[in-house]
Amino acid sequence: MEEVRGSSAWVAHNSSHVTIDSSGIEKVVEKMKESIPKVEWDYEGIHYFDNGPLTVQYLFVLDALNFCFWPDKDLNYDHLAKGLKDALLNDNSAFDADRLQKYTGPQLRELLKWPRPLPLEEERVRLLHEVGFELERSFEGKASKLVESCGKSAVKLVALVTRHFPGFRDHSVYKGHQVFLYKRAQIFAADLWGAFKGQGYGEFNDIGSITMFADYIVPAVLQQLGVLKYSSTLANAIQASSEIGAGTEEEVELRACSIYAVEKMRELLSIKSGKQVLSVELDLWLWSVGVQCQSLQHHRTLSIYY
Ligand SMILES: Nc1nc2c(c(CN[C@H]3C=C[C@H](O)[C@@H]3O)cn2[C@@H]2O[C@H](COP(=O)(O)O)[C@@H](O)[C@H]2O)c(=O)[nH]1
């Protein structure tokens, strides 16, 4: 994940629209250092779990589709997680590699019991087909084989996922530099770690290498906490719910500065508390704060990556 850390730091140091306020970081860390908030993975009780390979298949399909909910004001991540869980409980072959390659938009909607077209539905279907095809071609149709081949390394898992599945290649070019963000590939490793509680398919010797997952919720929480500051033009655009183009300087800065800020928070928190803190743990806490906050104004970008 050195590419993610290094390129995010580069953006943070060259940024034009988003800045990181170190006094904001210090204030948050000061409040947190006595009791670092631990958020239980699946605190919402919405995910499928059977402690076996089908859970791995479920999480891979989930994270292949884990993006862009906001264009439908009633849709959120919970609907996807719960919809896929119910689909699997109803038919345990629903995510077999050959089936994944055949879903149509209306069938995916039906699977999720969603009454109208999903945001970026054609892309979601294309990505499902890609997952089914490549799992079948290289991993005997099973996401569990993909995970087994990583030798308990989350870094290897992210590398393998991004090598085999183009839909997970979340990167951008910013002021002439390639920037790696890898939100869905990293969250897949984190979901395994969380679901299997660091054992079995969720055992990674290097889980500390994973960064936060640059989505549209956590940047907004960091801004509310005073960790991120926006230029007035960017703040106004977010306030007005204007769309921010994928790959624009503003969009890359919102995401990369969030990664860099959480790394800085983690470093300071580890020093002040004397305990090793993981970016994954900070991410889950920040995200859970964000989704429980009704008034959160987040940036809107049409993207398959988050
Ligand atoms: N940084 C970060 N972003 C996350 C998640 C999760 C869910 N993780 C699950 C794993 C265990 C927990 O118990 C969680 O249930 C989703 N997202 C992103 O949020 C956005 C959706 O928001 P809304 O439209 O309000 O549903 C969208 O970009 C989605 O990709 C996370 O953990 N971290």
Side-chain angles (χ1 to χ4, degrees):
M1 268 25 298
E2 285 320 303
E3 287 166 328
V4 177
R5 279 202 178 77
S7 58
S8 296
W10 195 89
V11 174
H13 291 125
N14 291 279
S15 154
S16 310
H17 313 273
V18 179
T19 47
I20 296 169
D21 185 341
S22 43
S23 67
I25 294 187
E26 274 171 37
K27 272 190 215 138
V28 177
V29 166
E30 204 50 45
K31 274 197 212 142
M32 287 170 79
K33 71 175 186 208
E34 297 310 332
S35 64
I36 299 161
K38 274 251 185 277
V39 177
E40 182 81 8
W41 192 88
D42 195 33
Y43 64 93
E44 320 94 315
I46 52 177
H47 297 94
Y48 177 85
F49 187 72
D50 66 2
N51 207 21
L54 196 52
T55 300
V56 182
Q57 195 85 355
Y58 164 80
L59 291 174
F60 196 48
V61 170
L62 172 65
D63 285 325
L65 303 179
N66 184 0
F67 58 87
C68 199
F69 301 93
W70 58 265
D72 185 327
K73 70 176 174 43
D74 298 319
L75 182 72
N76 59 36
Y77 171 81
D78 292 18
H79 295 113
L80 177 70
K82 178 86 169 47
L84 295 177
K85 173 187 178 178
D86 291 344
L88 207 49
L89 289 173
N90 191 38
D91 171 4
N92 66 8
S93 60
F95 303 154
D96 284 3
D98 56 333
R99 300 271 302 275
L100 291 175
Q101 293 173 66
K102 295 195 193 110
Y103 282 107
T104 63
Q107 284 167 345
L108 178 61
R109 250 179 265 165
E110 160 96 32
L111 199 73
L112 297 173
K113 306 253 177 304
W114 198 248
R116 48 188 177 274
L118 297 155
L120 301 178
E121 186 172 273
E122 278 181 27
E123 284 297 279
R124 289 188 146 88
V125 166
R126 183 182 67 79
L127 293 166
L128 270 188
H129 294 180
E130 179 182 287
V131 162
F133 176 80
E134 188 56 20
L135 280 180
E136 191 168 279
R137 194 174 76 97
S138 301
F139 301 100
E140 298 166 43
K142 302 207 169 358
S144 56
K145 295 279 171 201
L146 165 81
V147 176
E148 281 162 11
S149 67
C150 294
K152 304 188 198 314
S153 164
V155 172
K156 275 199 191 147
L157 180 59
V158 171
L160 202 65
V161 167
T162 53
R163 193 180 312 146
H164 280 270
F165 301 89
F168 283 85
R169 287 178 201 157
D170 174 10
H171 43 125
S172 213
V173 177
Y174 172 83
K175 298 185 179 174
H177 285 243
Q178 191 171 16
V179 178
F180 302 88
L181 301 153
Y182 289 157
K183 185 240 165 190
R184 290 194 286 103
Q186 292 200 82
I187 215 171
F188 174 53
D191 283 342
L192 289 164
W193 178 76
F196 290 91
K197 299 194 188 311
Q199 306 289 316
Y201 290 112
E203 186 181 351
F204 297 111
N205 300 324
D206 55 0
I207 193 68
S209 304
I210 297 287
T211 69
M212 62 74 74
F213 319 115
D215 67 343
Y216 52 84
I217 300 289
V218 177
V221 177
L222 291 172
Q223 194 254 348
Q224 267 198 354
L225 291 173
V227 168
L228 294 185
K229 300 269 193 271
Y230 301 163
S231 68
S232 54
T233 330
L234 177 57
N236 290 340
I238 294 175
Q239 196 63 32
S241 300
S242 309
E243 208 178 301
I244 295 183
T248 58
E249 282 185 9
E250 288 86 342
E251 192 240 1
V252 179
E253 289 181 15
L254 283 162
R255 301 186 70 206
C257 291
S258 297
I259 294 177
Y260 188 67
V262 171
E263 288 307 300
K264 292 284 138 198
M265 284 171 73
R266 179 183 58 75
E267 283 166 18
L268 195 61
L269 202 52
S270 297
I271 293 168
K272 296 227 172 187
S273 69
K275 290 183 204 129
Q276 199 54 39
V277 181
L278 302 174
S279 298
V280 189
E281 295 171 315
L282 283 181
D283 175 276
L284 194 49
W285 170 65
L286 291 163
W287 188 77
S288 69
V289 169
V291 288
Q292 284 164 51
C293 171
Q294 298 294 332
S295 59
L296 196 77
Q297 277 278 13
H298 62 73
H299 75 279
R300 288 153 190 260
T301 296
L302 273 184
S303 173
I304 62 155
Y305 294 133
Y306 65 103

